[in-house]
Amino acid sequence: MTRFRILSLDGGGVRGAFSASVLATLEESLGKNLVDHFDLIVGTSTGGIIAIALALGLPARRIVEFYEQHGGEIFHDTGVVGRWTGRARHFFAPKRSRARLRAALEVVLGTRKFGEARCRLVVPTYDAIAGRIYLLKTVHCGRFIHDYEALAVDCALATSAAPTYFEASPFPLHGGASYIDGGVWANCPAMVGFVEATAFLGVPPHNIDMLSVGTVSEPFSVSPLRRTLGGIIAWNKGLIELLVRAEVEAAVAQAKLLTGDGFHRIDALAEPGRFALDEARGISDLIALGAGEARKRQHIDVVATRFLNGAFAERFTPLRSLAHPQGNQ
């Protein structure tokens, strides 16, 4: 039986430049296209943007260029004074502009639709109105018919609308729906991919190979101050960091346990504070770090053997097709 291959892409703001660089380096080093070799791609937030672009057939290098060319527009940096002004504004309003993010995404994704994906695609988000998790899905099961006609840009915005950084994202196809970042519950979507494969597609757990790509980790511990006097001021954004880190660690551990030897993760460790989630200054370093990590033998040998090995994934034929799919923009 051919093994079922899943690509899982973490959230992490501008640090998605690291993930995109890992993937571009793998594609170019091995001479293979990711979209041809994976049966399912799952991605959250910045990882969701990458997942959508890959599934639509864009080479990973084009996604690296997206971060290089548009990162400064999306995460606008006006120097020390501008950064402090932005932090002050952050107390009362979203720190970044959704309009800037949308304009940048439109340059890359154009007017293409989610249903044009060349492989199965699952993108976590959160329904801000209904107060429930939501998964954007291609039509790989008969009842998944609600998302495929949506603009790819709207789907990318829905998964990446991080609370306090961007306002919630409206979703025209779903009427009055409004979505926020899928990272609030699945920043590492490895288990989302595992459940999709086993529960909806009937894939045995032992037949899954999963490649999980992170967005750079940092050492983290709960300080004595937070442990003993941890009020709102003491915790500040550290509480969010703790919750996200714990979710990622849990998802990785569970996926490893359930897939056995089928799980492989690529990530890098950086010193605390080196790469902010929403500052473009570190993009070039992130790209270099991703390329270097992908070239390590411990990663490229595994990817060459189990993932980009020349054995194409079974052709994905959605159960419902677009009447007039848009061309590549």
Side-chain angles (χ1 to χ4, degrees):
M1 178 185 292
T2 303
R3 295 183 67 79
F4 190 91
R5 287 167 288 187
I6 302 173
L7 177 61
S8 171
L9 303 170
D10 286 15
V14 74
R15 295 190 300 205
F18 167 85
S19 311
S21 182
V22 166
L23 298 172
T25 302
L26 292 173
E27 280 195 332
E28 292 163 1
S29 298
L30 300 173
K32 306 287 193 304
N33 294 325
L34 287 155
V35 70
D36 295 328
H37 290 78
F38 284 92
D39 299 280
L40 170 66
I41 301 179
V42 293
T44 300
S45 193
T46 195
I49 293 173
I50 298 170
I52 291 168
L54 288 174
L56 290 174
L58 273 69
R61 182 58 58 188
R62 179 68 184 92
I63 307 170
V64 173
E65 292 169 356
F66 165 78
Y67 288 97
E68 289 179 312
Q69 296 170 5
H70 301 287
E73 302 167 11
I74 301 166
F75 301 107
H76 189 51
D77 185 1
T78 54
V80 175
V81 174
R83 285 197 293 274
W84 280 105
T85 301
R87 289 167 186 166
R89 181 176 179 271
H90 202 187
F91 281 103
F92 307 101
K95 189 177 179 182
R96 301 296 181 180
S97 166
R98 180 167 58 85
R100 287 176 185 243
L101 176 57
R102 183 179 192 95
L105 288 169
E106 286 175 342
V107 172
V108 178
L109 301 176
T111 58
R112 300 186 69 181
K113 293 188 176 180
F114 192 72
E116 292 179 55
R118 288 168 47 186
C119 69
R120 300 172 188 86
L121 184 57
V122 177
V123 177
T125 185
Y126 189 87
D127 188 331
I129 295 176
R132 66 187 182 105
I133 64 173
Y134 190 83
L135 293 162
L136 298 163
K137 300 184 181 186
T138 49
V139 193
H140 49 267
C141 285
R143 62 188 182 87
F144 300 161
I145 60 172
H146 304 292
D147 311 319
Y148 74 104
E149 292 187 303
L151 288 174
V153 168
D154 286 334
C155 296
L157 289 168
T159 190
S160 59
T164 80
Y165 288 94
F166 296 102
E167 62 185 281
S169 188
F171 202 84
L173 186 67
H174 293 176
S178 183
Y179 294 112
I180 60 176
D181 198 306
V184 300
W185 69 278
N187 202 63
C188 171
M191 284 304 298
V192 172
F194 179 84
V195 171
E196 195 70 22
T198 56
F200 294 101
L201 298 171
V203 180
H206 62 268
N207 197 47
I208 292 174
D209 275 329
M210 183 182 296
L211 177 61
S212 171
V213 183
T215 52
V216 182
S217 302
E218 298 178 354
F220 183 86
S221 63
V222 179
S223 68
L225 176 63
R226 286 172 173 165
R227 292 200 302 265
T228 58
L229 301 173
I232 292 175
I233 294 177
W235 273 102
N236 195 9
K237 67 177 183 179
L239 180 59
I240 297 175
E241 293 173 6
L242 174 62
L243 295 175
V244 170
R245 177 172 294 275
E247 184 278 324
V248 171
E249 289 182 2
V252 168
Q254 290 165 348
K256 283 182 178 178
L257 180 66
L258 293 169
T259 59
D261 294 334
F263 185 88
H264 185 78
R265 183 162 172 86
I266 302 177
D267 202 3
L269 191 67
E271 59 268 26
R274 181 179 176 187
F275 300 115
L277 295 175
D278 70 325
E279 292 181 5
R281 292 175 296 161
I283 287 178
S284 60
D285 282 358
L286 285 162
I287 292 170
L289 191 63
E293 196 67 31
R295 293 190 191 104
K296 290 182 178 179
R297 187 167 185 176
Q298 68 200 66
H299 297 312
I300 200 165
D301 284 358
V302 171
V303 173
T305 302
R306 288 167 40 195
F307 298 101
L308 302 186
N309 56 7
F312 284 7
E314 183 179 347
R315 182 177 177 83
F316 169 54
T317 304
L319 300 181
R320 184 177 294 195
S321 300
L322 294 163
H324 302 290
Q326 302 292 320
N328 196 353
Q329 301 295 314

